[in-house]
mmCIF file of all heavy atoms in Angstrom:
data_model
loop_
_atom_site.group_PDB
_atom_site.id
_atom_site.type_symbol
_atom_site.label_atom_id
_atom_site.label_comp_id
_atom_site.label_asym_id
_atom_site.label_seq_id
_atom_site.Cartn_x
_atom_site.Cartn_y
_atom_site.Cartn_z
ATOM 1 N N LYS A 1 2.404 25.326 -15.984
ATOM 2 C CA LYS A 1 3.794 25.832 -15.657
ATOM 3 C C LYS A 1 3.766 26.702 -14.460
ATOM 4 O O LYS A 1 4.723 26.861 -13.781
ATOM 5 C CB LYS A 1 4.292 26.614 -16.889
ATOM 6 C CG LYS A 1 4.631 25.715 -18.020
ATOM 7 C CD LYS A 1 5.237 26.441 -19.167
ATOM 8 C CE LYS A 1 4.211 27.356 -19.824
ATOM 9 N NZ LYS A 1 4.432 27.531 -21.229
ATOM 10 N N GLU A 2 2.615 27.351 -14.184
ATOM 11 C CA GLU A 2 2.630 28.320 -13.119
ATOM 12 C C GLU A 2 2.275 27.591 -11.809
ATOM 13 O O GLU A 2 1.156 27.017 -11.663
ATOM 14 C CB GLU A 2 1.536 29.366 -13.404
ATOM 15 C CG GLU A 2 1.411 30.460 -12.415
ATOM 16 C CD GLU A 2 0.140 31.363 -12.786
ATOM 17 O OE1 GLU A 2 -0.270 31.421 -13.917
ATOM 18 O OE2 GLU A 2 -0.382 31.948 -11.764
ATOM 19 N N VAL A 3 3.150 27.648 -10.871
ATOM 20 C CA VAL A 3 2.862 27.126 -9.545
ATOM 21 C C VAL A 3 2.717 28.223 -8.604
ATOM 22 O O VAL A 3 3.702 28.992 -8.400
ATOM 23 C CB VAL A 3 3.862 26.102 -9.062
ATOM 24 C CG1 VAL A 3 3.599 25.619 -7.677
ATOM 25 C CG2 VAL A 3 3.943 24.913 -10.011
ATOM 26 N N ASN A 4 1.511 28.454 -8.051
ATOM 27 C CA ASN A 4 1.248 29.487 -7.168
ATOM 28 C C ASN A 4 1.161 29.074 -5.735
ATOM 29 O O ASN A 4 0.189 28.330 -5.411
ATOM 30 C CB ASN A 4 0.050 30.318 -7.559
ATOM 31 C CG ASN A 4 -0.306 31.437 -6.718
ATOM 32 O OD1 ASN A 4 0.130 31.583 -5.552
ATOM 33 N ND2 ASN A 4 -1.087 32.412 -7.268
ATOM 34 N N PHE A 5 2.147 29.284 -4.967
ATOM 35 C CA PHE A 5 2.145 28.761 -3.562
ATOM 36 C C PHE A 5 0.956 29.284 -2.733
ATOM 37 O O PHE A 5 0.495 28.549 -1.908
ATOM 38 C CB PHE A 5 3.498 28.966 -2.920
ATOM 39 C CG PHE A 5 4.567 28.200 -3.563
ATOM 40 C CD1 PHE A 5 5.477 28.831 -4.356
ATOM 41 C CD2 PHE A 5 4.683 26.776 -3.413
ATOM 42 C CE1 PHE A 5 6.484 28.076 -5.053
ATOM 43 C CE2 PHE A 5 5.622 26.109 -4.078
ATOM 44 C CZ PHE A 5 6.562 26.711 -4.880
ATOM 45 N N LEU A 6 0.636 30.542 -2.996
ATOM 46 C CA LEU A 6 -0.483 31.078 -2.179
ATOM 47 C C LEU A 6 -1.764 30.326 -2.589
ATOM 48 O O LEU A 6 -2.634 30.258 -1.792
ATOM 49 C CB LEU A 6 -0.623 32.607 -2.475
ATOM 50 C CG LEU A 6 0.318 33.477 -1.678
ATOM 51 C CD1 LEU A 6 0.469 34.824 -2.269
ATOM 52 C CD2 LEU A 6 -0.154 33.528 -0.194
ATOM 53 N N ARG A 7 -1.814 29.851 -3.829
ATOM 54 C CA ARG A 7 -2.957 29.110 -4.247
ATOM 55 C C ARG A 7 -3.020 27.765 -3.536
ATOM 56 O O ARG A 7 -4.046 27.283 -2.981
ATOM 57 C CB ARG A 7 -2.989 28.903 -5.716
ATOM 58 C CG ARG A 7 -4.240 28.226 -6.262
ATOM 59 C CD ARG A 7 -4.148 27.971 -7.740
ATOM 60 N NE ARG A 7 -3.623 26.696 -8.019
ATOM 61 C CZ ARG A 7 -2.331 26.522 -8.478
ATOM 62 N NH1 ARG A 7 -1.568 27.511 -8.753
ATOM 63 N NH2 ARG A 7 -1.892 25.296 -8.701
ATOM 64 N N ARG A 8 -1.862 27.142 -3.427
ATOM 65 C CA ARG A 8 -1.784 25.760 -2.907
ATOM 66 C C ARG A 8 -1.824 25.760 -1.396
ATOM 67 O O ARG A 8 -2.413 24.865 -0.813
ATOM 68 C CB ARG A 8 -0.454 25.184 -3.412
ATOM 69 C CG ARG A 8 -0.532 23.700 -3.557
ATOM 70 C CD ARG A 8 0.774 23.159 -4.130
ATOM 71 N NE ARG A 8 1.957 23.565 -3.395
ATOM 72 C CZ ARG A 8 3.165 23.384 -3.835
ATOM 73 N NH1 ARG A 8 3.348 22.888 -5.001
ATOM 74 N NH2 ARG A 8 4.187 23.758 -3.052
ATOM 75 N N ASP A 9 -1.222 26.714 -0.805
ATOM 76 C CA ASP A 9 -1.034 26.668 0.612
ATOM 77 C C ASP A 9 -2.010 27.514 1.429
ATOM 78 O O ASP A 9 -2.157 27.314 2.620
ATOM 79 C CB ASP A 9 0.450 27.114 1.003
ATOM 80 C CG ASP A 9 1.436 26.237 0.379
ATOM 81 O OD1 ASP A 9 1.108 25.093 -0.026
ATOM 82 O OD2 ASP A 9 2.582 26.660 0.253
ATOM 83 N N SER A 10 -2.638 28.526 0.850
ATOM 84 C CA SER A 10 -3.482 29.331 1.565
ATOM 85 C C SER A 10 -4.908 28.787 1.675
ATOM 86 O O SER A 10 -5.345 28.054 0.778
ATOM 87 C CB SER A 10 -3.535 30.752 1.009
ATOM 88 O OG SER A 10 -4.378 30.766 -0.193
ATOM 89 N N GLU A 11 -5.648 29.101 2.724
ATOM 90 C CA GLU A 11 -6.971 28.678 2.897
ATOM 91 C C GLU A 11 -7.823 29.189 1.737
ATOM 92 O O GLU A 11 -8.608 28.448 1.098
ATOM 93 C CB GLU A 11 -7.503 29.191 4.195
ATOM 94 C CG GLU A 11 -8.909 28.661 4.519
ATOM 95 C CD GLU A 11 -9.504 29.356 5.768
ATOM 96 O OE1 GLU A 11 -8.737 29.930 6.515
ATOM 97 O OE2 GLU A 11 -10.725 29.287 5.906
ATOM 98 N N ALA A 12 -7.685 30.490 1.396
ATOM 99 C CA ALA A 12 -8.493 31.039 0.284
ATOM 100 C C ALA A 12 -8.214 30.290 -1.040
ATOM 101 O O ALA A 12 -9.115 29.955 -1.831
ATOM 102 C CB ALA A 12 -8.218 32.530 0.151
ATOM 103 N N GLY A 13 -6.926 29.992 -1.261
ATOM 104 C CA GLY A 13 -6.551 29.296 -2.495
ATOM 105 C C GLY A 13 -7.149 27.961 -2.599
ATOM 106 O O GLY A 13 -7.652 27.509 -3.596
ATOM 107 N N GLN A 14 -7.032 27.213 -1.448
ATOM 108 C CA GLN A 14 -7.661 25.831 -1.493
ATOM 109 C C GLN A 14 -9.135 25.876 -1.716
ATOM 110 O O GLN A 14 -9.733 25.081 -2.421
ATOM 111 C CB GLN A 14 -7.283 25.183 -0.135
ATOM 112 C CG GLN A 14 -5.846 24.757 -0.076
ATOM 113 C CD GLN A 14 -5.493 23.870 1.122
ATOM 114 O OE1 GLN A 14 -6.382 23.463 1.804
ATOM 115 N NE2 GLN A 14 -4.254 23.543 1.241
ATOM 116 N N LYS A 15 -9.759 26.830 -1.036
ATOM 117 C CA LYS A 15 -11.259 26.963 -1.142
ATOM 118 C C LYS A 15 -11.660 27.356 -2.547
ATOM 119 O O LYS A 15 -12.768 27.028 -3.039
ATOM 120 C CB LYS A 15 -11.767 27.907 -0.107
ATOM 121 C CG LYS A 15 -11.799 27.235 1.298
ATOM 122 C CD LYS A 15 -12.305 28.173 2.359
ATOM 123 C CE LYS A 15 -12.363 27.517 3.687
ATOM 124 N NZ LYS A 15 -12.702 28.392 4.806
ATOM 125 N N CYS A 16 -10.820 28.132 -3.239
ATOM 126 C CA CYS A 16 -11.102 28.543 -4.627
ATOM 127 C C CYS A 16 -10.996 27.292 -5.531
ATOM 128 O O CYS A 16 -11.803 27.080 -6.448
ATOM 129 C CB CYS A 16 -10.054 29.553 -5.105
ATOM 130 S SG CYS A 16 -10.459 31.235 -4.447
ATOM 131 N N CYS A 17 -9.916 26.423 -5.292
ATOM 132 C CA CYS A 17 -9.787 25.226 -6.093
ATOM 133 C C CYS A 17 -11.014 24.339 -5.856
ATOM 134 O O CYS A 17 -11.503 23.661 -6.780
ATOM 135 C CB CYS A 17 -8.509 24.465 -5.687
ATOM 136 S SG CYS A 17 -7.027 25.385 -6.230
ATOM 137 N N THR A 18 -11.483 24.202 -4.574
ATOM 138 C CA THR A 18 -12.621 23.448 -4.288
ATOM 139 C C THR A 18 -13.905 24.031 -4.955
ATOM 140 O O THR A 18 -14.716 23.267 -5.483
ATOM 141 C CB THR A 18 -12.828 23.356 -2.773
ATOM 142 O OG1 THR A 18 -11.754 22.737 -2.169
ATOM 143 C CG2 THR A 18 -14.098 22.585 -2.363
ATOM 144 N N PHE A 19 -13.978 25.324 -5.017
ATOM 145 C CA PHE A 19 -15.105 25.983 -5.650
ATOM 146 C C PHE A 19 -15.125 25.592 -7.140
ATOM 147 O O PHE A 19 -16.158 25.278 -7.704
ATOM 148 C CB PHE A 19 -15.056 27.511 -5.489
ATOM 149 C CG PHE A 19 -16.026 28.268 -6.332
ATOM 150 C CD1 PHE A 19 -17.379 28.009 -6.331
ATOM 151 C CD2 PHE A 19 -15.598 29.323 -7.177
ATOM 152 C CE1 PHE A 19 -18.300 28.721 -7.059
ATOM 153 C CE2 PHE A 19 -16.477 30.037 -7.932
ATOM 154 C CZ PHE A 19 -17.868 29.781 -7.875
ATOM 155 N N GLN A 20 -13.931 25.602 -7.802
ATOM 156 C CA GLN A 20 -13.853 25.200 -9.210
ATOM 157 C C GLN A 20 -14.278 23.773 -9.356
ATOM 158 O O GLN A 20 -15.057 23.464 -10.279
ATOM 159 C CB GLN A 20 -12.366 25.295 -9.691
ATOM 160 C CG GLN A 20 -11.975 26.718 -9.818
ATOM 161 C CD GLN A 20 -10.600 26.788 -10.554
ATOM 162 O OE1 GLN A 20 -9.586 26.335 -9.997
ATOM 163 N NE2 GLN A 20 -10.510 27.334 -11.726
ATOM 164 N N HIS A 21 -13.868 22.862 -8.492
ATOM 165 C CA HIS A 21 -14.282 21.465 -8.579
ATOM 166 C C HIS A 21 -15.807 21.285 -8.355
ATOM 167 O O HIS A 21 -16.413 20.567 -9.097
ATOM 168 C CB HIS A 21 -13.490 20.686 -7.443
ATOM 169 C CG HIS A 21 -13.621 19.229 -7.581
ATOM 170 N ND1 HIS A 21 -12.902 18.335 -6.790
ATOM 171 C CD2 HIS A 21 -14.437 18.398 -8.284
ATOM 172 C CE1 HIS A 21 -13.194 17.060 -7.080
ATOM 173 N NE2 HIS A 21 -14.191 17.105 -7.975
ATOM 174 N N TRP A 22 -16.301 22.084 -7.407
ATOM 175 C CA TRP A 22 -17.746 22.002 -7.075
ATOM 176 C C TRP A 22 -18.605 22.432 -8.295
ATOM 177 O O TRP A 22 -19.570 21.710 -8.681
ATOM 178 C CB TRP A 22 -18.021 22.897 -5.882
ATOM 179 C CG TRP A 22 -19.497 22.936 -5.480
ATOM 180 C CD1 TRP A 22 -20.065 22.087 -4.592
ATOM 181 C CD2 TRP A 22 -20.474 23.857 -5.816
ATOM 182 N NE1 TRP A 22 -21.398 22.381 -4.423
ATOM 183 C CE2 TRP A 22 -21.637 23.506 -5.188
ATOM 184 C CE3 TRP A 22 -20.484 24.972 -6.697
ATOM 185 C CZ2 TRP A 22 -22.858 24.210 -5.364
ATOM 186 C CZ3 TRP A 22 -21.657 25.660 -6.849
ATOM 187 C CH2 TRP A 22 -22.899 25.328 -6.153
ATOM 188 N N VAL A 23 -18.207 23.508 -8.943
ATOM 189 C CA VAL A 23 -18.963 24.057 -10.141
ATOM 190 C C VAL A 23 -18.753 22.974 -11.277
ATOM 191 O O VAL A 23 -19.795 22.715 -11.949
ATOM 192 C CB VAL A 23 -18.385 25.376 -10.610
ATOM 193 C CG1 VAL A 23 -18.966 25.772 -11.987
ATOM 194 C CG2 VAL A 23 -18.732 26.475 -9.617
ATOM 195 N N TYR A 24 -17.543 22.486 -11.418
ATOM 196 C CA TYR A 24 -17.318 21.448 -12.471
ATOM 197 C C TYR A 24 -18.211 20.236 -12.301
ATOM 198 O O TYR A 24 -18.854 19.778 -13.221
ATOM 199 C CB TYR A 24 -15.871 21.075 -12.432
ATOM 200 C CG TYR A 24 -15.487 19.977 -13.370
ATOM 201 C CD1 TYR A 24 -15.087 20.238 -14.656
ATOM 202 C CD2 TYR A 24 -15.537 18.630 -12.945
ATOM 203 C CE1 TYR A 24 -14.794 19.200 -15.547
ATOM 204 C CE2 TYR A 24 -15.171 17.552 -13.820
ATOM 205 C CZ TYR A 24 -14.770 17.819 -15.088
ATOM 206 O OH TYR A 24 -14.480 16.797 -15.964
#
């Protein structure tokens, strides 16, 4: 339900999502 635009649009946010994927 939570859509965080800073997560989706910021470089740090995208790299955090990639970090999660990498660890997974």
Side-chain angles (χ1 to χ4, degrees):
K1 287 182 292 211
E2 182 189 332
V3 174
N4 180 338
F5 293 104
L6 278 162
R7 184 182 89 255
R8 209 174 55 191
D9 303 338
S10 76
E11 185 188 342
Q14 288 190 2
K15 285 175 175 177
C16 283
C17 290
T18 298
F19 172 53
Q20 289 189 293
H21 188 172
W22 181 87
V23 168
Y24 174 88

